[in-house]
Amino acid sequence: MADQLTDGPQIGDTCIGCVVCVDLCPGDVLRMEGDKAVVEYADECWWCGVCRVECPVEGCVKFKFPVAMMNG
Ligand code: SF4
Ligand code: SF4
């Protein structure tokens, strides 16, 4: 199943390290690495979209939903 998530959350270089996504992620997917958020456990992502919606930097967090989810 993990290979379906290779298009998982992507955090861009524009991350300002506000920690909002790390704090709000319900799945402990994200963590801080220095002053940037990084994806630690992509397989744990629930695709809730909170990280993308709440990030204050437009376009910083991007992801594509797994094809299996869209079909199912
Ligand atoms: S979509 Fe939801 S579960 Fe996945 S990384 Fe973002 S906040 Fe966490
Ligand atoms: S919410 Fe956006 S700017 Fe803030 S740490 Fe996460 S990715 Fe970076």
Side-chain angles (χ1 to χ4, degrees), residues 20-39:
V20 165
C21 60
V22 176
D23 283 346
L24 293 180
C25 175
D28 277 343
V29 176
L30 310 169
R31 67 173 173 83
M32 295 304 295
E33 186 172 278
D35 60 355
K36 303 282 187 185
V38 296
V39 178

Side-chain angles (χ1 to χ4, degrees), residues 11 15-22 32 37 51 54-57 60-61:
I11 298 174
C15 173
I16 59 172
C18 71
V19 196
V20 165
C21 60
V22 176
M32 295 304 295
C51 56
E54 297 298 332
C55 177
V57 182
C60 181
V61 180

Side-chain angles (χ1 to χ4, degrees), residues 9 21 24-27 29-30 44-52 63:
C21 60
L24 293 180
C25 175
V29 176
L30 310 169
E44 300 295 321
C45 179
W46 301 353
W47 307 100
C48 69
V50 166
C51 56
R52 183 175 59 176
F63 57 73

